[in-house]
Amino acid sequence: MDDSVYAETDPAELAAYREQVETWMNENMPRRDPVNPWHPTRDDDVGSTRNRELQRRLSDGGYAAVCYPTEYGGQSLTIAHRRIVDEVSMDFDMPLLFSVPTMSITGPTILEFGTEEQKQRYIPAWIRGDELWVQFMSEPSGGSDMAGALTRADRDGDAFVINGSKIWSTFAQRSDYALMLARTNWEVPKHRGLTMFIVPIHHPDIEIHPIQMVDGTEEFCQEFFNDLIIPAENVLGEVDDGWTVASRLLFHERAAVGGASPYTQGRHRGRSADGLADLAELARDRDDGERGLLRQKVGHLETLNQVDRLLSARVVKGIESGYLPAPAGSLVRLFHGLSQVERQSLAFELQRDNALVWNQGETTGAYGVEFVQRQQSCIGGGTTEMARNIISERILGMPREPAADRELPFNQVPRNG
């Protein structure tokens, strides 16, 4: 990661930049409809096309990927500049589908490990809005053991032949490329025989199966690879050293999910997270005996918001200065996941029946959908249990959990079926 993104910036320069961003946004980006807002992560072709169009607008105006280096299409500005863009853009439609994982997870991983040819080929394309990216990491039989990948990549001259399956890939059906972790060596312990590949998704030897969620959407997918041939030039990093690349990808993922990444782009004004004004109004309007308690709960959530913001800033600064190790991003990941569950649970409690049954066009139903999905903030980007393990072992220095297969050649590890 380029440390210059954390550089101190003159307040007068930032004030002038904010004015510049506000002027440009008002003249070039569609203002968000507060009554019937557009959802940038809707799982259809219309949403994908609109995200690409808006990303192209941002790129043409010089407000896409502000922390990326100029030599690849970015602006080489600081995280302070990016936060200004985020704050100003909250009232405008933004291409959030590009923010995670393209800009903030797969993007910085390629920025760190890619060859110069790979960086010149891929980074400008996603900054322009031409290509969306996704991660092919989890597997149906793997659970949280990503290093136990069974998807295999067998060397065949100047190419690799890939067979296997990946799952829980966000919007894979709308994306163009993926970073995929596959096993290239079965005779060494599991962490030492993996390789990261750049994979074109819309390939005749890849089957993509969308997975329907509880709210009817199809955000996640499962993929099947049937003798998929990938050229060796698509290896990211070194052959058999894919775990090094994957570890950094997971670092960027936790930072993005927890709000500590300099590479995310835009955020929309939420219902239960930003200012909590609507929830506070609901609590004030309650005329029963729970009014006082509910107001205290809203105040607690506002405190969580402030802690979340300050914790993110502290962790970012700590990692940049070396005071905190890189895995400290898990602190933000853990706090953000747990506090999000509290926010969505209280929003549901305040909305009561309106979050269970609503008329078409009413927004209260979104609170009910969010409540049903509330645990996803404790799963996506690595579970909260994994975050606790990382904090205990890699930050606090506590003993690692025992693992019988840690030094065992992978082809000797017992497996079901």
Side-chain angles (χ1 to χ4, degrees), residues 8 67 100 135 141 144 157 203 243 257 271 299 303 356 358 368 405:
E8 294 292 334
C67 290
V100 179
Q135 305 141 260
S141 62
S144 61
H203 188 287
W243 188 248
V257 172
R271 289 175 299 277
T303 302
L356 292 172
W358 62 93
D405 62 353

Side-chain angles (χ1 to χ4, degrees), residues 6 51 63 73 255-256 260 265 279 305 307 332 344 375:
Y6 301 106
N51 269 281
Y63 297 104
Q265 175 180 275
L279 298 187
N305 274 349
V307 173
V332 184
Q344 292 169 341
Q375 288 298 333

Side-chain angles (χ1 to χ4, degrees), residues 205-247:
D205 296 324
I206 300 179
E207 297 178 22
I208 301 177
H209 294 199
I211 300 170
Q212 190 171 80
M213 305 291 287
V214 68
D215 62 351
T217 61
E218 295 179 340
E219 177 180 348
F220 298 109
C221 298
Q222 181 173 2
E223 301 79 33
F224 298 89
F225 313 103
N226 306 295
D227 290 333
L228 170 66
I229 297 177
I230 295 297
E233 65 188 33
N234 281 32
V235 169
L236 184 66
E238 301 295 330
V239 174
D240 291 347
D241 192 35
W243 188 248
T244 298
V245 183
S247 296

